[in-house]
Each structure stands twice: as C-alpha cells, then as structure tokens.
Amino acid sequence: MGWLDRLDVINWIDVILADNPSAKVIIHGVDMGADTGLMISGEPIKSNIKGIVADGAYTSAWDVMQKEFK
C-alpha cells in the first residue's frame, strides 16, 4: 500500500540526480501514489525535492482493508 513503493521512487530520484544533479523534483501521486508520496516525506530526503503533492490519499490503511476484503 505504498510502503515498498517509496523505495522505488527514492531510487528513481537518485537516477534523475545522477543525470542532472541540479534537478528540482516534485513528487506527485494520486490515490495509493499519494500515500507513497506521503511515506517518502518521512524519509531523509534530498534538498532537490521541492514538494510533494498527495491527491486523494487514504486516511486509514485499516479502513481500506476492511472495505476491500469484506
């Protein structure tokens, strides 16, 4: 639900910065991607990340699981 995906995004940011060290990065995610972006915000992030846009993140993983797995 976004927890492992955050590591993929961090790795992609490293790829971008290897090619362009002065790149300015905005992370944008919708739905579960929004949750991934918010989870990245809890990691030690590089100063190149200028913002995170989280559109439609879930408020509770437990509530999502209850709804999906009735």
Side-chain angles (χ1 to χ4, degrees):
M1 298 190 66
W3 183 245
L4 297 177
D5 302 306
R6 83 192 194 291
L7 300 175
D8 291 335
V9 175
I10 291 169
N11 286 334
W12 277 112
I13 292 167
D14 290 340
V15 169
I16 292 167
L17 297 179
D19 185 53
N20 182 359
S22 63
K24 296 178 183 173
V25 178
I26 301 286
I27 297 168
H28 176 258
V30 177
D31 199 52
M32 196 174 297
D35 304 307
T36 302
L38 293 174
M39 290 176 196
I40 291 169
S41 73
E43 297 290 330
I45 56 177
K46 296 173 176 58
S47 62
N48 297 67
I49 298 176
K50 301 302 180 184
I52 298 174
V53 178
D55 184 5
Y58 58 78
T59 56
S60 165
W62 179 250
D63 290 344
V64 171
M65 296 301 272
Q66 282 183 316
K67 179 181 174 187
E68 295 298 321
F69 298 109
K70 288 185 179 184

